[in-house]
Amino acid sequence: MAPERPVRNRPWPNMNDKKRPPFSGDSLKARALRGTGMLFISIFGSNLLRLASNLILTRILFPEAFGLMALVQVFMGGLEMFSDMGLKTSVMQSKRGDDPHFLNTVWTVQILRGIGIWVLACILAPVAAWIYDEPMLLALLPVVGFRQVIGGFTTTNIATANRHLRLGRQLWAELGCQAFGIVLTIILAIILQSVWAMVWAGLVAAVFRGVLFHLIMPGIRNRLRWQPEALGDLFQFGKWIFLATVVGFIIRQGDRAVLGAFISLAELGVYNIGLFMGTIPFIFSKAVANRVITPLYRMRPPAESQANRRKLFKARRLVVAVTLAFSTTLAFIGVPMIDFLYDPRYALAGPMVVFFSLCMVPQVVFDGYTGALLGRGDSKNFFYLLAATAAVQVAILFWTISDFGILAAIAAPGIAAMVVYPLRIHMVRKHRSWDMVGDFSYLALGFALNGFAVWLAWDEIVKLIPAAV
């Protein structure tokens, strides 16, 4: 009889020893990957809903309605930026970002800010109506401005979730709120056949959103609080954010503010469609920079180690690569896409989408650097950077708008971003965050691919130049 083989003592396999997918678990990397993925899904879904809404509303309402709302957005965007103290960013980067006293003080300031914006909207309504010779602005601005009062009561638990890269619940809820608002807008547009459909639907949707987030977001239940120490922290960080958002208004809204004086409301409405479609990739890039990259710079400062720097560069390059791929796709399909989706009144939005894709390349590549400054609490240099960008952008816009019209408005932000790039390098190098290889590689790739798309569509793009029409 053969001798028995010795039995080896082998431990049972531990299922926990298996390598987990990189997005599972509660590690910082997993949360960052999940957050980025959720943002991509959220922004894709959000813009898909906006597109569906636009396609329906452009067949119910007239282009002038979209032009009116564009002007309202210019004034409301300005009021929001001129009163911004970086409350959400303060929660995300402050050491006291989880302290209930600090959060409740932020909530109280947020409510007061919302009321203040509404009062200013009521005061400025006659001025806006006079500047643009549009009497409807006299009634539209105070009603739209009341959304800021409603928004002031939004829970600070949203900012807390962003601070810890826990984005899933709020992003799904945002999509639900947006879908609710769009359905309501369409119903009211069919009934009212007026720009007021968008206004009243916006107010109801703002109330629905505020209540929903108070119910579903985990964290503290906000109460009125006025803590001097917390106010001091807010002011120390927020004074530069306040100044930065003043010039940020020029960067984000300056094109429509200036164009409104040079083109008709109908043309401005078409421009708004082109702006919406052409800047979707940049919206994604900016959302990831604000909600994922900025917290990463706070949690893993690149100046502390080569490993941190390598991981942050990798994360930022991945976001830029995805964004440029999206932007390039839009560049090649922009004209036929608009022709297919919209009626002939909006045909000129097609070449706008193509040209936006090219001009957005520098902004897409450079935008992640704001996280290097804000994530480390460097709001002062953040303001200086935005101020320089705004000054250059305004100079370019006023110098070129009469000759190139809409093309000048589209190109000015991208040119300004390139001009101030040396200043950006100087600032982020202090935090050891300059990614020279990534910047130059993606700039070259983005300009080459999107430039080729512009060359292919040039016969359509020249129609946007006033002298060519």
Side-chain angles (χ1 to χ4, degrees), residues 407-420:
L407 287 186
I410 296 174
I415 297 173
M418 292 294 294
V419 171
V420 301

Side-chain angles (χ1 to χ4, degrees), residues 156-167 170 217-218:
T156 58
N157 291 333
I158 297 175
T160 302
N162 289 339
R163 172 181 171 85
H164 296 289
L165 291 175
R166 303 185 188 281
L167 307 178
Q170 63 167 299
M217 292 302 295

Side-chain angles (χ1 to χ4, degrees), residues 113-448:
R113 173 177 173 265
I115 295 171
I117 292 175
W118 176 58
V119 172
L120 286 174
C122 295
I123 294 172
L124 289 177
V127 179
W130 174 74
I131 291 175
Y132 291 102
D133 192 24
E134 184 50 61
M136 283 194 70
L137 291 175
L138 189 62
L140 285 171
L141 275 173
V143 180
V144 174
F146 194 73
R147 290 178 62 179
Q148 296 300 316
V149 177
I150 300 169
F153 289 87
T154 302
T155 176
T156 58
N157 291 333
I158 297 175
T160 302
N162 289 339
R163 172 181 171 85
H164 296 289
L165 291 175
R166 303 185 188 281
L167 307 178
R169 184 176 300 191
Q170 63 167 299
L171 292 178
W172 285 117
E174 289 282 9
L175 282 176
C177 292
Q178 184 182 359
F180 170 78
I182 287 172
V183 171
L184 184 59
T185 303
I186 293 170
I187 293 172
L188 290 179
I190 294 171
I191 297 171
L192 300 177
Q193 295 287 309
S194 150
V195 69
W196 285 102
M198 292 185 268
V199 175
W200 296 122
L203 283 177
V204 176
V207 173
F208 177 76
R209 179 183 182 275
V211 172
L212 178 65
F213 276 105
H214 270 288
L215 293 175
I216 69 168
M217 292 302 295
I220 69 168
R221 290 293 168 256
N222 288 122
R223 300 287 185 271
L224 293 176
R225 175 76 173 168
W226 196 259
Q227 188 185 65
E229 184 182 353
L231 286 172
D233 292 343
L234 286 174
F235 178 77
Q236 185 63 31
F237 179 78
K239 63 183 178 182
W240 294 108
I241 295 294
F242 166 74
L243 294 173
T245 51
V246 170
V247 295
F249 166 76
I250 300 171
I251 296 173
R252 298 177 190 177
Q253 304 285 351
D255 55 348
R256 281 164 284 183
V258 175
L259 275 175
F262 282 85
I263 62 178
S264 68
L265 277 179
E267 290 171 319
L268 189 61
V270 176
Y271 175 78
N272 225 34
I273 297 295
L275 177 72
F276 156 60
M277 297 296 295
T279 57
I280 290 175
F282 182 60
I283 292 171
F284 165 73
S285 173
K286 197 162 193 65
V288 175
N290 290 340
R291 297 192 180 190
V292 178
I293 301 298
T294 297
L296 284 178
Y297 274 108
R298 177 182 65 84
M299 298 175 184
R300 296 290 186 268
E304 287 188 357
S305 69
Q306 180 65 31
N308 283 357
R309 196 155 50 252
R310 185 173 61 251
K311 290 176 181 177
L312 277 166
F313 286 3
K314 183 178 179 181
R316 203 177 70 85
R317 288 178 186 180
L318 177 61
V319 173
V320 173
V322 172
T323 308
L324 285 181
F326 191 7
S327 174
T328 302
T329 302
L330 281 178
F332 281 99
I333 69 171
V335 173
M337 176 182 67
I338 294 295
D339 289 342
F340 175 74
L341 294 175
Y342 293 90
D343 65 61
R345 294 175 298 171
Y346 300 90
L348 286 179
M352 291 181 202
V353 172
V354 180
F355 201 59
F356 265 118
S357 298
L358 175 66
C359 297
M360 283 284 172
V361 169
Q363 294 169 276
V364 167
V365 175
F366 301 151
D367 190 64
Y369 282 131
T370 58
L373 300 175
L374 294 179
R376 303 308 301 156
D378 192 0
S379 56
K380 182 178 180 179
N381 277 324
F382 175 66
F383 160 67
Y384 289 149
L385 181 62
L386 284 191
T389 305
V392 174
Q393 183 173 319
V394 168
I396 294 170
L397 191 57
F398 278 103
W399 183 36
T400 59
I401 189 73
S402 60
D403 293 326
F404 296 98
I406 288 174
L407 287 186
I410 296 174
I415 297 173
M418 292 294 294
V419 171
V420 301
Y421 181 57
L423 177 62
R424 192 184 301 265
I425 294 173
H426 172 70
M427 291 178 174
V428 299
R429 284 184 68 183
K430 296 178 182 178
H431 304 286
R432 302 193 68 184
S433 300
W434 181 35
D435 181 13
M436 180 180 67
V437 174
D439 287 357
F440 291 150
S441 300
Y442 283 120
L443 278 176
L445 181 64
F447 280 136

